[in-house]
Amino acid sequence: MAAVAENAIGSENQFIHSKAATCDSESEYQRDVRKLVDLLSKLNPSAKEFFPSWRKSDGRLSADAPVFVTSADYFNSGNGFNYGNSNKDSSSDGSSNNQPMNRRGFGQRRNGYNQGRRRMNDRARRAEREESIRRTVYVSDIDQNVTEEHLAELFAPCGQVVDCRVCGDPHSILRFAFIEFADEEGAMVALNIGGTLLGYYPVKVLPSKTAILPVNPKFLPKSNDEREMVVRTVYCTNIDKKVTQSEVKQFFEQVCGEVSRLRLLGDNVHSTRIAFVEFVQAESAIFALNCSGMFLGSLQIRISPSKTPVRPRIPRAASH
């Protein structure tokens, strides 16, 4: 028993000495840490020696700065590190290091953005077109002597008329038209006008299945003088590409009257061209409407009243 007690006392003394030594070691470690913290706090973090050679003074990285990639970037590259598609900073926060982005990756992102914008624009245009169709009515059996002004006056009590287009061959006894209102309610009320006598025939009115192609507002007349010009102007389509501007002018002057201004337009996409012909007298423009269906070159032209004036071309400033 005495031996056991002696061994127990010895073990306890060893534990006490070991614990004391551990406490001394910990306190010494803490003192060293405090000294190190105190020393570091006196250093200037913006000192030049703390920055690598590839980091510029303004905080950006130079072109030769190293680029670090994640494991996902490595495996996605297929054959080694995918430096081109990586735009990570050398820090671990993954922020951009202001290096030039890979041209292909940038193009892919930009193409995706442009495609998204196109889809949004297409949806917006489609919705706008459908809304315009709901505000439009189709009018048929229109007397050939009825003008767009007569139609607009007839449908004005239904609501505000935004646009009115008479279509069809002027030589035909009956034509048709599209009338667009400012709201859907006006189009609904207009359906009740069906059967009204306009000229020599009662008109038929139905909901339209198509929208009126809008005219660019910047081309519409902006003054009384331009409105007077529109009265003297016709819009001619289906013009043979082989026909010259002088031949178009000669054709209308021989049949209708003196032409004061003519604008012949075309491109490499369409097989025919169009023209805006302004006459000196308004009566000449009325005569020109009867020329629809006549041959100019190898094609039959189509003529309708113009909604836009033929503005004189603005000369370009000479470049120095």
Side-chain angles (χ1 to χ4, degrees):
M1 291 293 292
V4 174
E6 186 177 353
N7 290 336
I9 293 173
S11 299
E12 185 177 354
N13 290 335
Q14 290 177 0
F15 175 76
I16 293 173
H17 288 302
S18 175
K19 186 175 181 180
T22 302
C23 292
D24 293 339
S25 176
E26 288 180 356
S27 59
E28 184 179 357
Y29 171 75
Q30 291 174 354
R31 285 195 300 272
D32 292 341
V33 170
R34 281 197 295 271
K35 289 180 181 179
L36 181 60
V37 171
D38 185 54
L39 176 63
L40 293 176
S41 64
K42 296 177 181 179
L43 297 178
N44 180 13
S46 301
K48 184 178 179 180
E49 57 269 19
F50 287 103
F51 287 90
S53 60
W54 37 262
R55 183 175 288 275
K56 298 181 181 179
S57 59
D58 59 359
R60 295 182 298 137
L61 301 183
S62 62
D64 59 344
V67 178
F68 296 92
V69 298
T70 64
S71 59
D73 292 328
Y74 174 82
F75 289 110
N76 288 336
S77 64
N79 296 314
F81 284 100
N82 190 7
Y83 287 104
N85 291 333
S86 176
N87 195 33
K88 304 294 183 182
D89 192 1
S90 56
S91 62
S92 61
D93 61 356
S95 59
S96 172
N97 62 2
N98 292 323
Q99 294 188 25
M101 189 184 296
N102 173 268
R103 189 176 299 275
R104 182 179 177 185
F106 177 76
Q108 290 173 347
R109 290 188 179 92
R110 187 169 184 176
N111 288 339
Y113 173 72
N114 290 337
Q115 289 175 1
R117 285 189 62 181
R118 277 197 296 269
R119 284 194 293 269
M120 291 180 63
N121 292 337
D122 290 343
R123 285 197 293 269
R125 282 194 293 267
R126 187 160 53 249
E128 183 178 355
R129 185 173 183 276
E130 291 174 354
E131 194 267 339
S132 177
I133 291 175
R134 291 193 295 269
R135 293 187 282 105
T136 305
V137 295
Y138 170 75
V139 185
S140 61
D141 292 358
I142 300 174
D143 191 320
Q144 62 178 350
N145 296 318
V146 173
T147 64
E148 292 179 347
E149 289 74 14
H150 293 151
L151 273 177
E153 291 176 2
L154 175 65
F155 286 91
C158 304
Q160 181 183 353
V161 176
V162 176
D163 202 350
C164 177
R165 304 283 179 91
V166 175
C167 310
D169 188 351
H171 297 294
S172 173
I173 297 176
L174 298 176
R175 293 178 295 165
F176 61 94
F178 296 92
I179 300 177
E180 181 180 347
F181 293 89
D183 51 41
E184 296 181 32
E185 184 179 355
M188 295 295 293
V189 175
L191 298 177
N192 298 324
I193 292 185
T196 302
L197 189 66
L198 184 61
Y200 293 100
Y201 303 94
V203 295
K204 296 180 181 178
V205 185
L206 298 171
S208 178
K209 295 182 179 180
T210 60
I212 298 177
L213 183 65
V215 177
N216 193 327
K218 71 179 183 180
F219 296 137
L220 295 175
K222 299 178 181 179
S223 63
N224 290 331
D225 290 339
E226 288 192 342
R227 292 186 185 92
E228 193 271 335
M229 290 167 60
V230 169
V231 174
R232 296 185 282 108
T233 305
V234 296
Y235 172 64
C236 183
T237 62
N238 202 45
I239 300 175
D240 191 333
K241 274 196 169 183
K242 296 179 181 179
V243 176
T244 64
Q245 181 161 320
S246 60
E247 289 174 338
V248 175
K249 181 177 181 181
Q250 183 180 4
F251 170 84
F252 281 105
E253 286 189 333
Q254 287 180 348
V255 179
C256 308
E258 184 181 356
V259 174
S260 59
R261 192 177 289 118
L262 187 148
R263 188 70 46 77
L264 183 62
L265 306 172
D267 53 34
N268 296 326
V269 178
H270 299 86
S271 58
T272 59
R273 294 196 287 179
I274 63 172
F276 292 89
V277 185
E278 179 187 326
F279 294 93
V280 175
Q281 302 293 331
E283 291 78 8
S284 300
I286 298 175
F287 293 150
L289 296 177
N290 296 322
C291 295
S292 186
M294 296 179 65
F295 279 90
L296 179 56
S298 61
L299 299 176
Q300 288 180 298
I301 58 175
R302 293 190 292 269
I303 303 173
S304 60
S306 176
K307 292 183 178 295
T308 61
V310 183
R311 295 188 177 99
R313 293 185 183 275
I314 301 175
R316 295 183 179 179
S319 58
H320 299 286

